[in-house]
Every structure is written in C-alpha cells, then in structure tokens.
Amino acid sequence: MTIPQITAVRLGGSPRLPLLVLGPSLGTSARTLWSSTAKHLSGHFEVIAWDLPGHGTNSIVAEPFTMAELAIGVLAMVDDVLAERDAVDTSFVYAGDSVGGAVGLHLLLDAPQRIDSAVVLCTGAKIGEAQAWRDRAATVRASGTPAVLERSASIWFADGFLERDPETGAALLHALQNTDAEGYALVCEAIASHDVRDRLADIQQPVLAIAGREDVPTPPASLEEIADGVKNGHLVVLDGVAHLAPAEQPAEVARLILAHASGEPLVDEPLTVAEVRDAGMKTRREVLGDAHVDRVTASATDFTTEFQELITQYAWGSIWTRPGLDRRSRSLITLTALVARGHHEEFAMHVRAARTNGLTNDEIKELLLQTAIYCGVPDANTAFRIAQEVLAKIDQEQA
C-alpha cells in the first residue's frame, strides 16, 4: 500500500470553529480553486484545503497510488491538523471538486464515522474511461502539463467565464502549467481505477451532489447517479458552470456547503414558524453556547417565556441564519451597536459570542478603538473594561 503525503493549505477561519476540509481538482492548486469560496465560509468553519501530489504546495510525488490510498493520506493530514487543535471531536465536514469529490466518496465509504456531511462537486462514482486516463498520463509524462493546457481551458470553464473573470482563469491555468508531470500522471492513473458505483448504497451520511450544467467530463447525470445512489443524497445543478464550480460560482457554492452542513433547506422555500424557531434555537446555541441558553430557558417564567421565543424566532431564526453575512461580520455589527446603545450586559455576552464566531482579541480591540471615534470615548472606555474582563476569563478557561 502506498499512502501519498498530503499537504494542508489553510484558507481561513478560527481553530475554535468546526473543521471544513476542501479537496481539489486534477491540475489545480487548492488555493487557486477554493480561495474565493473559502472567504464566504471562514466565519463558520476553520477551512483547510489540500493539494494533490505534485500540485500546488505539495512537491512530494509518491509511487503509484489508488483513490482509496489518497483518501487515507487526506485523513492523515486531517489528523495532524486536529492534533494541533487538541480536538476531542475528530469528525469534519468535507467538500471536494472532481478528484477531490471522488476522494470524498472514498472517505464516506472507508471512514464514515469521520465525516459529518459531504458535498461532492463536478465528479463521479466513475469518471470517464480508464484507457483515456492512461493515455493522458502517458502524454503528460512525455510532454509535460502544457500538453493538456488547451484542452483543460476548453472544458474547465463555462462559456464566457474567462472573459468575466480572466484573473481567476489565468491563475488556474498557471497552476496547471506548474504542476509536476509525474504527479499529474499518477493522479490520472488513480482516476482510471476509480469506480465505486456498486458501493454508493453503503454511504449513510448526507451527501449533496453539485453539478455544472455545462460540465463535459462529469455532466449532471454523473452527479445524479451519486445523489440517487447514496442513502441520503440531494442534487443541485448550477447554470453557467462547467467543471470548476468553486471558482466559477464561489458565493453560491459556499451557500450550498453551509446550508448542507447546517441541515438547512437548499432551495428558497418558505419555512414554517416552527422551522424558523428551530433554526434560531440551533444558531443561538452555537453562538452563545448551550450553558447560556439552558440557563436562560430554565429561568424563563410565564411572564418572560414568550419574549424568549420572540428572540429565538426573530433575532436568531430570521436574522442570524441569513446567508448574506457570515457570523464574524454579524458579531462585529452587534458589538458596535451594543457599545453605541450602552447595553453592557448584552455586550459582555456578545464578546464571548464573538470569540466563538472566530474573532480574535486583537480584532475585538480594533473594533472598540473605532467605536471610540464613532460612538464616543466614554462608551468605548466602558466597553474596553467589560471586554477585558470577559476575554481574560475566556483565555483562562482555555489555558
């Protein structure tokens, strides 16, 4: 067995947040493919991507490996990341495009207890024909990755994308040109032997399959096969997208990953009051912590219960769950408003929430310095005092 070494690429988010692992496509680097999408997700997750052997930051080219062995290498990389976090929970959310999606299927099959939920994009339970991949490996070994540059440019992007976003397109094609020829060829050979069509029914975790309407290598039917084959699958087809969905529609891909990981609806259907309230309670607990919410709930009386339900439904269910801003941004806004209004008890609570949402002590300090200008020095003075007490207590608890 050959376990290829996989390198981690950190794309943002606090280690205090849940872990999201992102997988690349053949010929791309994780950073060029996923950076734009990661910006929308770093307020909700610590975002870690990975590079294939010979791609991007990963200069180590191994002996021939299978897709299953590649998945084992990804798990080893994740374990290293979790060890740095001193994490008790070793599970994570996974999303991968093309080869990264195929690796995701192997993770779901061979290490199901590690995956909370998975999103597979522009991939397949089997991708193309084995001989075509072996032929491509031979071509690249003989002539290098520039030999496949023109073909890749023609199938990676939907019509008009290179004109709309030439910078992203150029970065991706440059990453392909710089990919090690042997590393590229080895991945081609791993794809040639990849076929888990007869094992899809064994996958129990929720899987979101995202297809590009204009994708040639892995058309919508390929993703539909996955969504229909697993126990709990859902298919979304993106218009105006070919094979590199995270680069072509980063905001929409981020929204879908977040909604899937949170168990929220993937389409804009009206929610019932109960669904809004349930979503609000889930978010309220994630941001403020179970101990706080349990304490507030336990102390509610006949006089205050309806007010607590109002907060859960409208503040947490209707506003904090909206996808337009990440939780870091919402914490910044909330802290500023509470300083301006002098709501000191709420401010202390939301300083702790801001740390949960990934803000650092220095970022909170910068926010308070700016409130001294726009809200007033006396208000900022009080806020600094309260924040210092709360942050010191948090740091002590985490020491």
Side-chain angles (χ1 to χ4, degrees):
M1 178 182 290
T2 301
I3 308 302
Q5 185 167 334
I6 302 299
T7 57
V9 180
R10 298 178 184 274
L11 296 182
S14 168
R16 301 183 187 91
L17 297 171
L19 182 63
L20 169 64
V21 179
L22 302 175
S25 176
L26 171 66
T28 70
S29 73
R31 192 172 297 280
T32 55
L33 179 62
W34 281 105
S35 284
S36 295
T37 300
K39 290 177 182 178
H40 298 280
L41 293 166
S42 59
H44 304 272
F45 300 97
E46 181 185 14
V47 185
I48 302 291
W50 57 273
D51 275 325
L52 289 157
H55 293 59
T57 62
N58 191 352
S59 60
I60 301 172
V61 179
E63 298 297 320
F65 51 82
T66 66
M67 202 70 73
E69 290 166 343
L70 195 56
I72 295 172
V74 171
L75 273 182
M77 179 275 295
V78 172
D79 287 339
D80 289 341
V81 171
L82 291 172
E84 294 175 9
R85 292 163 49 125
D86 293 325
V88 175
D89 182 7
T90 62
S91 63
F92 55 94
V93 176
Y94 184 85
D97 186 275
S98 191
V99 172
V103 168
L105 294 176
H106 283 272
L107 289 170
L108 287 162
L109 286 164
D110 299 332
Q113 73 283 359
R114 301 294 301 275
I115 310 299
D116 291 326
S117 65
V119 180
V120 295
L121 306 93
C122 307
T123 190
K126 179 179 184 294
I127 303 175
E129 296 303 321
Q131 190 56 50
W133 287 111
R134 297 188 187 103
D135 291 344
R136 194 193 301 191
T139 297
V140 170
R141 282 194 174 103
S143 304
T145 54
V148 296
L149 200 61
E150 183 176 351
R151 180 183 183 277
S152 297
S154 70
I155 63 173
W156 272 2
F157 312 113
D159 288 343
F161 175 78
L162 289 175
E163 289 72 28
R164 292 193 305 274
D165 193 348
E167 184 176 350
T168 298
L172 284 159
L173 293 171
H174 186 68
L176 171 60
Q177 190 166 5
N178 288 339
T179 297
D180 178 84
E182 182 62 17
Y184 187 101
L186 289 173
V187 177
C188 286
E189 290 167 346
I191 299 172
S193 62
H194 163 67
D195 187 351
V196 294
R197 289 175 295 178
D198 61 347
R199 300 179 64 195
L200 288 175
D202 296 333
I203 295 177
Q204 305 293 310
Q205 280 81 355
V207 176
L208 172 62
I210 299 178
R213 183 80 67 187
E214 300 180 35
D215 191 356
V216 174
T218 53
S222 180
L223 281 300
E224 184 177 13
E225 180 179 40
I226 294 172
D228 289 345
V230 302
K231 183 176 181 180
N232 184 10
H234 188 91
L235 173 68
V236 171
V237 180
L238 299 179
D239 293 325
V241 168
H243 193 59
L244 301 183
E248 295 177 273
Q249 287 193 11
E252 180 61 11
V253 167
R255 184 189 75 82
L256 290 168
I257 291 172
L258 180 59
H260 180 64
S262 303
E264 297 172 4
L266 296 172
V267 294
D268 297 327
E269 297 177 351
L271 299 179
T272 66
V273 170
E275 288 171 334
V276 172
R277 190 175 294 156
D278 288 346
M281 180 57 76
K282 182 175 183 292
T283 303
R284 191 177 186 182
R285 287 184 176 278
E286 289 173 350
V287 173
L288 300 182
D290 288 334
H292 171 83
V293 176
D294 289 342
R295 186 168 59 252
V296 170
T297 302
S299 64
T301 66
D302 290 342
F303 188 69
T304 63
T305 293
E306 290 181 5
F307 177 65
Q308 289 300 321
E309 291 176 350
L310 179 76
I311 293 171
T312 299
Q313 181 177 332
Y314 287 101
W316 296 103
S318 296
I319 298 300
W320 276 85
T321 58
R322 290 177 61 83
L325 291 173
D326 61 29
R327 290 181 184 176
R328 283 173 49 88
S329 300
R330 293 194 186 279
S331 277
L332 290 168
I333 293 166
T334 302
L335 288 176
T336 303
L338 293 172
V339 171
R341 298 287 292 175
H343 297 311
H344 300 149
E345 184 178 347
E346 288 278 311
F347 175 77
M349 178 181 73
H350 275 279
V351 168
R352 182 175 286 274
R355 281 286 298 268
T356 299
N357 287 340
L359 291 175
T360 65
N361 290 5
D362 284 342
E363 287 171 326
I364 294 171
K365 177 185 71 176
E366 290 300 323
L367 177 144
L368 295 180
L369 285 170
Q370 190 152 334
T371 64
I373 305 301
Y374 292 98
C375 300
V377 171
D379 290 316
N381 183 53
T382 302
F384 262 109
R385 175 181 57 79
I386 295 170
Q388 182 169 259
E389 293 172 357
V390 174
L391 294 174
K393 186 175 181 179
I394 294 172
D395 290 339
Q396 186 177 18
E397 291 168 356
Q398 295 178 349

